[in-house]
């Protein structure tokens, strides 16, 4: 009789732990599916903000090929 009660108690604890695990996984189901690459809905992309770009100055705009090569002194 003791074995039957112990077995019942163990089964209840095991089902409780399984239920808790499933409940916690279902809360983060979207994150888990996205991490596995199985998400149906595409991930939201951040909004693109306009960027201000300054033009390079006169000396910065010169290309490397435009400069004369230096020759080593003998």
């Amino acid at each position: 009789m003791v074995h039957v009660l112990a077995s019942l108690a163990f089964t209840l604890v095991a089902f409780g732990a399984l239920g808790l695990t499933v409940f916690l996984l279902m809360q983060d189901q979207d994150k888990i599916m996205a991490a596995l690459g199985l998400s149906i809905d595409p991930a939201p992309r951040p909004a693109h903000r306009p960027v201000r770009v300054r033009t390079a100055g006169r000396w910065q705009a010169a290309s490397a090929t435009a400069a004369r090569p230096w020759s080593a002194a003998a």
Side-chain angles (χ1 to χ4, degrees):
M1 185 68 180
V2 174
H3 293 290
V4 173
L5 290 176
S7 176
L8 261 167
F10 178 77
T11 303
L12 287 176
V13 169
F15 279 133
L18 180 66
L20 181 63
T21 304
V22 169
F23 174 73
L24 292 175
L25 286 174
M26 292 300 288
Q27 283 183 342
D28 292 331
Q29 181 180 6
D30 296 334
K31 294 178 185 176
I32 294 170
M33 296 295 278
L36 293 174
L38 302 174
S39 180
I40 296 172
D41 298 331
R45 293 186 175 189
H48 292 285
R49 296 182 180 161
V51 178
R52 296 182 66 189
V53 179
R54 292 184 353 186
T55 58
R58 188 176 97 181
W59 299 108
Q60 293 174 343
S63 66
T65 58
R68 294 183 180 168
W70 290 84
S71 60

